[in-house]
Amino acid sequence: MANIQERRDKSGRRICYSIRVHRGRGAEGKQLKPYTATFEVKPTWTEKSARKKAEAFAATFEKECREGVTSDSRQTFRDYCEYVLELKESRGVKHSTIVRYKELTDRIFPAMGHIKLKDLRADHLNSLYTALGKEGAEKGSDKAVCKLDLASLLKDKGLTRAGIANTSELPLGAVCAAIKGKPVGVDIAGGVANALGVKLDKAFSIQKNQRSLSAKTVVEHHRLISTVLEQASKEGLVPFNVAGKATLPKVEKKEVNYFQPEQVAAIRETLETEPIKWRTITHLLLITGARRGEILGLKWDKVDFEAEHIHICNSVLYSADIGIYESTPKTATSNRYVSLPRETMEMLREYRIWQNTERLRLGTYYENQGFVFTQDNGCPMHPDSVTDWLAKFSKRHGLPHITTHAFRHTMASMLYFNGVDSVSISKRLGHAQVSTTANIYAHVMEEADERNADILAEVFLKKA
């Protein structure tokens, strides 16, 4: 039964009725907020007539609530967004996706989190997207650079870098960078200054962020908002998804970065002087075109030496809230078998012998979890460790800047240039749709077609 309460103004005149419908308790046993509605009273109505109309409205409202086709007039975008994220997490959406969504809400909530769902308009969204495209919108990119001789100050106070890192709960590398005068985050600088007993503005100069968000990142914010409002539309909280009426910034399509054959040859030649673990990781990234998390998630029982292929069905990721963890690959089609050349299989055999030797040498310190690539103690590697090593490797040998995705693009491009079809390439990359592959490598396909034209001219049109 709906609860009906009349509301009067200061003069005692009845102005409306407040309607509340009990929702019960949630899965965790917490009392859910009731559905609420307001029934306005016209001045010309009698008290009896107003009450009767309010009771009829309340009965209809309660029926709609029970059938799930009503809207909570007081629910804000922030409250409902948090509910949707909890719902998606409980339905199995990847942890990395939920973490990214929450990062996006840090910019969305201050701008429109307080607005009620029923009052949200397209111009609210357009104003947010315009603000995100302006300078300074990239949160957390302010940097601090020391302006004092922190090393001497450290010595005078009898402190150590490791000691500051431990007492302030800061990464040792970040503390060392701050003391060396390298740009660090303001939070890191604040921790170091506090440990040294000096004020932040006395020890560091702050370099304000002047960067704006890219159009692609702005569209990411829009997609989250649209996802939330689409759920609200399904639940009958809003009549339609207003995000569909917003105007988005134009995202310029960037051409993928891939290495030329001579660059690949230089990288492979230089790798011969590097440790076998890093040589094997880099080789697999290039040959398989796999994502870095997929390579780090590979286990020995998924390496088939007889069939000469690997089964990519696991991924190693990192999140600040839970650390290094295992997950499934990015999409369902990312669970795939990737064939490898005989040379790669031989390299894996050689590397496994080295790893087994290391495991025996380290004894109980080594925790064998079956991963192909591990930290010194046998635990899965941090994904960023691969990115960092490649950056240092390329700088050390004067090579072009190397990223894991550049290897992925290189593999796909080389296959296109050698006449392999999009379906086969898409399957090897683990894309959810062939159209994704075709869109990403459109310019590569055009260049490959130009080369094919030259080949045809050479075969059919060359005069004897």
Side-chain angles (χ1 to χ4, degrees), residues 262-324:
E262 58 271 17
Q263 292 175 314
V264 174
I267 292 170
R268 292 189 62 231
E269 181 180 352
T270 311
L271 274 173
E272 293 302 316
T273 62
E274 298 295 334
I276 188 169
K277 183 176 87 170
W278 292 107
R279 190 163 74 242
T280 309
I281 289 176
T282 308
H283 182 90
L284 277 181
L285 286 168
L286 177 62
I287 291 296
T288 64
R291 304 172 180 93
R292 67 177 186 179
E294 294 171 342
I295 293 297
L296 296 186
L298 183 65
K299 296 187 177 182
W300 284 114
D301 61 353
K302 303 304 178 185
V303 178
D304 192 327
F305 285 98
E306 291 186 5
E308 296 187 338
H309 67 222
I310 57 174
H311 183 195
I312 294 178
C313 58
N314 191 44
S315 187
V316 166
L317 305 171
Y318 172 83
S319 177
D321 57 342
I322 60 175
I324 300 173

Side-chain angles (χ1 to χ4, degrees), residues 148-179:
L148 298 178
D149 186 353
L150 297 184
S152 297
L153 186 60
L154 196 73
K155 187 176 180 180
D156 292 343
K157 290 182 176 288
L159 299 173
T160 64
R161 293 166 176 77
I164 290 178
N166 290 331
T167 56
S168 304
E169 296 183 348
L170 298 174
L172 178 58
V175 172
C176 293
I179 294 173

